[in-house]
Amino acid sequence: MALIPYLMALVSIATLLLNKARFAIYLLAAQYVFAFLLALPVLQIRSLIARLLGGFLVGVILYSSERRFTEGKSFLQTPSLPRSFWFRFLTALIVFIVAWAFANQTQSFTSSAGKNIFLGSTFIMCLGSLMLGLYQSPMEAAVGMLTLLIGFDLFYGGIEPSLAIVVLMISIQLIISLATSYIMSIRHQAHAQEDGRA
């Protein structure tokens, strides 16, 4: 269990570095599984299964949208932000170190399971925020926001394990994935119309 927070951070960094929409969806699914395993000793099994099923639905929605509208291409490259591999690597490394230092100096949790949850949630909340800062296309923004929400849900679930909160978090994640699918379909139709006129 002690390695899972670092695996979660590694998956988030890999999402930043690979820069492929389909890989990002696979890695997002891995985050849901790691969050499930990390919270297994602490949270109720029914709430964990609900989170895992919600993550599965989110992955299915994003994967079907990616297959229909991006055809496995890279994320949108925008000239306004530096997007080179080394820039993303160094930025992710700095954020990882800051998150690690913050999590290790915080004494909010006493049990080892609580410390692992706090460490893992801090890693992916910080790296999810970094994704939101670097990303601009709808799929990128969805991956960054969902990564951030997985971390927040992992952290807040330890404080308030209510089933209503679980349902609320799952609903928010499903709304984000459905909104992303809708925006991608609208953009795809707009590009198809522009190509038809040209």
Side-chain angles (χ1 to χ4, degrees):
M1 287 293 179
L3 286 177
I4 293 179
Y6 296 98
L7 290 174
M8 295 175 85
L10 190 62
V11 167
S12 295
I13 292 171
T15 304
L16 278 164
L17 299 184
L18 289 176
N19 199 36
K20 290 282 186 183
R22 191 164 296 179
F23 289 141
I25 295 168
Y26 295 151
L27 294 172
L28 184 67
Q31 291 287 31
Y32 279 104
V33 174
F34 285 140
F36 173 84
L37 294 173
L38 192 58
L40 197 56
V42 177
L43 300 180
Q44 293 180 349
I45 191 68
R46 64 178 183 175
S47 67
L48 291 174
I49 290 174
R51 286 178 171 96
L52 201 57
L53 289 175
F56 174 76
L57 291 174
V58 165
V60 167
I61 293 167
L62 292 180
Y63 181 77
S64 62
S65 300
E66 188 274 334
R67 284 193 66 189
R68 288 180 60 201
F69 304 124
T70 67
E71 300 168 357
K73 295 177 184 174
S74 298
F75 283 138
L76 179 69
Q77 298 291 327
T78 54
S80 60
L81 291 170
R83 294 292 298 268
S84 71
F85 174 85
W86 289 110
F87 175 79
R88 286 179 282 130
F89 175 76
L90 290 174
T91 308
L93 187 62
I94 290 168
V95 170
F96 171 81
I97 292 169
V98 169
W100 179 82
F102 171 76
N104 280 318
Q105 293 209 0
T106 304
Q107 303 296 325
S108 301
F109 298 98
T110 54
S111 67
S112 60
K115 287 178 182 175
N116 288 334
I117 287 175
F118 186 69
L119 185 61
S121 63
T122 302
F123 280 152
I124 62 174
M125 280 194 289
C126 291
L127 290 165
S129 300
L130 176 61
M131 290 178 201
L132 283 173
L134 291 179
Y135 288 170
Q136 293 196 353
S137 74
M139 181 64 79
E140 291 177 316
V143 169
M145 180 62 76
L146 289 166
T147 302
L148 176 62
L149 283 174
I150 291 169
F152 177 77
D153 186 32
L154 188 63
F155 170 73
Y156 194 69
I159 299 171
E160 179 55 60
S162 168
L163 198 57
I165 300 296
V166 174
V167 172
L168 177 65
M169 293 302 296
I170 292 170
S171 301
I172 291 170
Q173 294 172 32
L174 288 172
I175 289 169
I176 289 170
S177 59
L178 289 170
T180 302
S181 179
Y182 176 73
I183 292 168
M184 288 176 68
S185 68
I186 295 296
R187 288 183 62 169
H188 182 74
Q189 289 174 1
H191 288 313
Q193 288 176 355
E194 287 176 7
D195 292 342
R197 288 182 193 139

